[in-house]
Amino acid sequence: MSILISPEATVLGSANPAQAPAAEFGPSNPFYAPSTLPFQAPPFDKIKDEDYQPAIEAGMAQQRGEIEKIANNSEAPTFENTIVAMEKTGQLLDRVMAAFDGVTGADTNPYLQNVKSIEAPKLAAHEDFIFLNTKLFARVDAIYKQRTSLKLDPESLRLVERYYDRFVHAGASLSEPDKAELRKINEELSSLSDSFINKLLAATKEGAYVTKDKAPLTGFSDSRLAAAAQAAKNRKLDGFVILLQNTTQQPDLVSLSDRGTRQTIFENSWNRAEKGDANDTRDVISHIAELRAQKAKLLGYPNYAAWKLEDQMAKTPEGALRFMDALVPPATAKAAREAQDIQAVIDAQHGGFQLQPWDWNFYAEQVRKARYDLDDSQVKPYFELWSVLENGVFYAANQLYGLTFKQRHDLPVYHPDVRVFEVFDANGKHLAIFYCDYFKRDNKNGGAWMSAFVEQSRLLGNLPVVYNVANFQKPAEGEPALISFTDVTTMFHEFGHALHGMFSDAEYPTLAGTSTARDFVEFPSQFNEHWALYPSIFSHYARHYKTGAPMPEELAAKIRKAETFNKGYDMTELVAAAELDMQWHLLSPGAPLQNPDEFEKEALEKTHLEISYVPPRYRSSYFSHIWGGNGYSAGYYAYLWTQMLADDAYQWFVENGGLTRANGDRFRRMILSRGNTQDLAKMYESWRGAPPNTKAMLKYRGLEESAPDK
Ligand SMILES: [Zn+2]
């Protein structure tokens, strides 16, 4: 079985979900048996939309039966008959969910979305059925207590510990009254999160900027103006509407030259959920914070952050805080230098005002143009997507790890834009299957991601089948797909995740591949981004799509230089949001209900981040990463933490001869193949020879104390 990565089990729903209507599920369903295609690739040519739901239902029913059998086994609990047995459960469910998640993410339709919303609560209840099962926990607990005398190999020992923690984290070790209390808290938390999401959605909609007149929008391109007019039409309004984005800063402020318009849009964003109306979220978030602290106490932790970080690489809130606190001085110092540059532009134009947050992006863009003069239309002809893939992304993997790739046309795909490659190891042996689906579609989620159709496991005899999805502009028929350097970086990033999945060499599926901690999983991907600019890689793929000529050095230098642009602002707004998140989750149980505005002000002052021109990336009242669900609560720091790991790791390569097969193989052996089979901090340290530090992270972003401003 694969344990869902979702870090917080909900105790919602019945522990005994109704039996599934198994009647519709039989051998004619393509998920009924493991795929007979090479490497168990999903048979997308046979799978119909109607096949998923009965297979999901049957998959849950099958796993319930398997789990019951383990829980009710009359033999004494052993590692084999309990832990290993659990690892083997749920194979049908894993099979169908891997394909279902892939298709609903990248090529969905109303029918599949409906199936998804029907099955989501059932899947949550299914997880509870496993992790709140008292009999099952008693067996896991017994094995855990005698684990040191069982002579288990290190990976098996780690598996026992992960299972035990997972059960305890979910509340399986509590007394029945405490379990009932936990269930109540979780239900309340879940409805408060729902309420937060709904209020914020409405508040964000209400916060749109509306104008009948074109004049306030001076600076908009014709196409941006047309989009704003369309947004107004969609609301049956005359004029123009500018929708709010999730973040504090709004992308349109880069181009709007009317300072009053910028200020209004910024304030709409900043105050969106603090208007004292029905969409005000402040009351909701102070209650969520209070309840989370109570939940932590019930589970035996001093605060919610301590509970949340236990299975993370940082391990304790103190570890994460030390890390963040150390970033504040260099980040804010660089932001101050950037602010000076911007103020100089304002003054040179006789602006007659002090820089405010709504001015930042507008003037920073002018600094950027003056300093780097980097024009996307100049660089794109050198980045033809398929050449970037084969001569850049694949080539880097070849130089570092010896991998080779061969396109396959015989494996079915869920959409004609998807390409499939077989991946061979340095010794010529089959390693994995890699799918890529790079073009934007209306029925695809935004952003880019990696996942797996089949996860590697020696126990189950599975080899990895992984995929990357992105949202690049699809060219017109017969035209080349020319992409930006940002897109190039995205390809390297997602392929870094793919390598983590493909190199996985774990016995147990629970510990395989990318199934690591939130503050580790973005490390291999961000690390892989570094090779995009590595000279011998860059010159191999950055070639003109028509002539094959390498990119002129002058242009390449601009791309490299622009890498450190605005990094003071970027890191300051991120670290401010991360500190806010952590402060909220360090509240002790029994602390009085907080006033969010006062709390936020104090938290930012305390961490030296109350800076007039750099507000946090999210204000508490619209920080949906931490209140809208549990994913990033007490975990927003992970974005920065994994940057540290990626840069520190790349620095090791720089200090040890750069891109060589020996270096690549060592990294693969000690990190990329290990999944979650070892303590992550120890795994890192034994490869690096030292714990990670922020030196390289600061250097690559131009944030060193002595870094000259370019
Ligand atoms: Zn990623």
Side-chain angles (χ1 to χ4, degrees):
M1 71 185 262
S2 64
I3 296 181
L4 302 177
I5 303 182
S6 115
E8 183 170 341
T10 57
V11 199
L12 287 173
S14 151
N16 288 302
Q19 284 301 303
E24 335 157 31
F25 185 72
S28 65
N29 188 297
F31 294 107
Y32 187 79
S35 165
T36 53
L37 291 171
F39 319 106
Q40 303 184 49
F44 286 117
D45 53 340
K46 299 210 172 66
I47 300 169
K48 297 182 297 297
D49 287 352
E50 308 82 78
D51 292 326
Y52 289 106
Q53 195 172 19
I56 294 170
E57 295 276 351
M60 285 192 283
Q62 184 188 84
Q63 191 172 26
R64 275 197 299 275
E66 292 163 338
I67 291 288
E68 292 277 18
K69 221 176 127 193
I70 298 167
N72 297 325
N73 190 347
S74 55
E75 288 167 37
T78 65
F79 177 70
E80 282 294 327
N81 76 17
T82 303
I83 305 284
V84 176
M86 283 177 73
E87 284 291 280
K88 290 180 181 164
T89 68
Q91 292 184 37
L92 167 58
L93 186 60
D94 286 348
R95 196 154 67 228
V96 58
M97 285 311 294
F100 185 67
D101 286 343
V103 169
T104 50
D107 195 33
T108 195
N109 61 48
Y111 180 88
L112 292 176
Q113 287 309 107
N114 188 40
V115 171
K116 194 174 167 154
S117 47
I118 293 169
E119 296 303 320
K122 294 190 188 181
L123 287 161
H126 179 70
E127 209 186 330
D128 286 349
F129 169 78
I130 299 170
F131 289 100
L132 286 175
N133 186 316
T134 312
K135 281 190 199 163
L136 193 57
F137 176 64
R139 295 180 75 87
V140 172
D141 189 39
I143 297 161
Y144 179 77
K145 286 193 174 117
Q146 45 175 306
R147 67 192 183 284
T148 46
S149 56
L150 294 177
K151 298 201 171 61
L152 296 170
D153 64 86
E155 186 181 340
S156 299
L157 184 62
R158 171 101 173 149
L159 186 67
V160 172
E161 289 166 353
R162 300 306 308 136
Y163 265 101
Y164 177 80
D165 289 349
R166 188 74 181 77
F167 275 92
V168 171
H169 243 229
S173 64
L174 298 182
S175 68
E176 284 310 317
D178 281 354
K179 262 189 200 164
E181 174 68 16
L182 180 64
R183 200 170 277 123
K184 212 180 108 218
I185 291 178
N186 279 335
E187 275 169 24
E188 266 179 73
L189 276 173
S190 164
S191 78
L192 283 170
S193 277
D194 271 356
S195 163
F196 173 85
I197 291 168
N198 292 333
K199 281 172 188 277
L200 182 57
L201 212 61
T204 303
K205 201 176 161 200
E206 291 265 301
Y209 175 85
V210 184
T211 173
K212 286 211 166 121
D213 192 5
K214 202 155 49 170
L217 303 181
T218 306
F220 266 7
S221 65
D222 287 346
S223 68
R224 181 64 192 92
L225 213 51
Q230 184 59 48
K233 272 204 196 86
N234 295 346
R235 292 190 176 191
K236 301 198 168 37
L237 294 172
D238 288 336
F240 307 91
V241 166
I242 296 168
L243 305 175
L244 281 186
Q245 307 289 319
N246 300 338
T247 46
T248 296
Q249 281 292 358
Q250 299 298 307
D252 283 327
L253 302 197
V254 171
S255 50
L256 289 168
S257 56
D258 184 309
R259 190 163 188 246
T261 310
R262 291 200 306 266
Q263 180 170 356
T264 305
I265 292 176
F266 178 86
E267 285 172 351
N268 283 1
S269 170
W270 184 247
N271 297 317
R272 71 182 81 176
E274 305 203 1
K275 291 182 185 153
D277 59 7
N279 301 332
D280 196 309
T281 60
R282 284 174 289 184
D283 190 45
V284 175
I285 65 175
S286 43
H287 278 99
I288 294 178
E290 186 187 43
L291 273 172
R292 282 181 178 164
Q294 285 177 22
K295 173 175 172 166
K297 187 182 175 200
L298 197 61
L299 289 160
Y301 295 81
N303 52 56
Y304 182 83
W307 174 75
K308 197 67 197 291
L309 267 80
E310 199 178 43
D311 62 353
Q312 298 294 300
M313 183 174 171
K315 289 199 181 74
T316 61
E318 293 68 35
L321 283 170
R322 263 197 308 277
F323 163 69
M324 287 189 281
D325 291 347
L327 293 178
V328 173
T332 53
K334 178 78 189 307
R337 295 199 292 276
E338 291 166 358
Q340 278 172 13
D341 290 343
I342 289 172
Q343 189 66 53
V345 175
I346 294 171
D347 294 346
Q349 296 174 8
H350 308 292
F353 56 84
Q354 274 296 310
L355 165 66
Q356 295 297 328
W358 48 89
D359 301 315
W360 189 287
N361 287 340
F362 182 73
Y363 290 98
E365 179 62 11
Q366 297 181 28
V367 174
R368 190 182 77 89
K369 278 205 177 118
R371 245 177 232 180
Y372 308 109
D373 186 31
L374 186 60
D375 182 348
D376 251 7
S377 65
Q378 270 180 298
V379 303
K380 279 181 168 180
Y382 295 89
F383 300 139
E384 193 277 320
L385 186 145
W386 302 110
S387 169
V388 172
L389 181 68
E390 305 225 13
N391 300 314
V393 175
F394 287 174
Y395 179 70
N398 174 269
Q399 297 296 295
L400 281 163
Y401 312 111
L403 302 188
T404 52
F405 301 81
K406 189 168 174 250
Q407 192 169 357
R408 286 189 68 140
H409 300 277
D410 57 328
L411 293 175
V413 291
Y414 56 83
H415 187 280
D417 284 350
V418 181
R419 292 195 188 183
V420 187
F421 294 86
E422 183 166 3
V423 186
F424 299 93
D425 219 331
N427 60 9
K429 272 193 176 162
H430 170 89
L431 178 74
I433 298 287
F434 172 70
Y435 294 65
C436 50
D437 177 7
Y438 287 127
F439 295 126
K440 194 175 181 59
R441 280 192 294 277
D442 284 341
N443 63 344
K444 195 190 256 193
N445 286 341
W449 63 95
M450 167 272 180
S451 193
F453 290 128
V454 182
E455 282 193 84
Q456 182 274 335
S457 160
R458 270 186 268 118
L459 178 74
L460 305 180
N462 289 345
L463 295 169
V465 177
V466 307
Y467 60 89
N468 279 173
V469 182
N471 272 282
F472 305 148
Q473 204 57 53
K474 190 175 176 175
E477 195 67 43
E479 295 292 314
L482 304 180
I483 60 177
S484 66
F485 186 67
T486 308
D487 293 342
V488 170
T489 308
T490 299
M491 288 174 74
F492 276 86
H493 177 102
E494 297 308 330
F495 198 74
H497 287 306
L499 288 169
H500 200 192
M502 297 192 294
F503 284 146
S504 179
D505 185 19
E507 179 73 11
Y508 305 112
T510 288
L511 303 176
T514 56
S515 311
T516 58
R518 200 173 36 254
D519 63 4
F520 190 86
V521 74
E522 294 295 326
F523 157 38
S525 50
Q526 299 193 67
F527 166 77
N528 204 52
E529 288 179 27
H530 276 287
W531 303 110
L533 278 176
Y534 195 81
S536 66
I537 304 288
F538 188 82
S539 64
H540 196 256
Y541 74 85
R543 291 178 171 265
H544 198 280
Y545 76 101
K546 267 187 197 154
T547 64
M551 182 180 283
E553 174 47 32
E554 194 198 14
L555 199 52
K558 283 181 187 174
I559 293 179
R560 286 195 301 270
K561 247 179 108 180
E563 287 286 284
T564 58
F565 174 70
N566 213 44
K567 287 294 188 274
Y569 187 99
D570 291 350
M571 190 174 292
T572 302
E573 68 159 6
L574 263 173
V575 78
E579 292 266 21
L580 261 185
D581 163 39
M582 196 58 78
Q583 297 297 328
W584 274 110
H585 294 107
L586 287 170
L587 274 176
S588 51
L593 204 61
Q594 301 295 311
N595 170 319
D597 293 324
E598 284 169 21
F599 183 90
E600 182 169 284
K601 194 168 184 310
E602 270 171 41
L604 292 174
E605 269 170 12
K606 193 162 91 183
T607 52
H608 311 290
L609 284 160
E610 227 223 349
I611 297 162
S612 64
Y613 46 78
V614 191
R617 187 170 170 82
Y618 300 95
R619 197 182 192 183
S620 303
S621 55
Y622 51 83
F623 204 162
S624 58
H625 287 75
I626 67 170
W627 308 120
N630 306 300
Y632 273 91
S633 53
Y636 198 73
Y637 77 93
Y639 285 109
L640 291 159
W641 182 275
T642 50
Q643 278 180 16
M644 164 179 71
L645 297 178
D647 293 348
D648 185 55
Y650 181 71
Q651 189 58 28
W652 181 91
F653 276 76
V654 170
E655 287 160 11
N656 288 276
L659 182 153
T660 67
R661 273 296 307 285
N663 285 345
D665 286 347
R666 184 172 177 275
F667 188 63
R668 170 183 177 173
R669 189 174 67 249
M670 299 180 77
I671 302 278
L672 292 179
S673 65
R674 295 294 174 102
N676 200 19
T677 61
Q678 280 177 299
D679 177 89
L680 297 168
K682 281 187 194 142
M683 180 198 293
Y684 187 88
E685 206 174 321
S686 67
W687 169 75
R688 182 66 168 98
N693 70 67
T694 56
K695 247 185 168 157
M697 177 189 196
L698 297 178
K699 185 179 95 175
Y700 292 129
R701 285 164 179 72
L703 302 184
E704 287 165 313
E705 211 66 62
S706 56
D709 282 338
K710 285 177 218 161

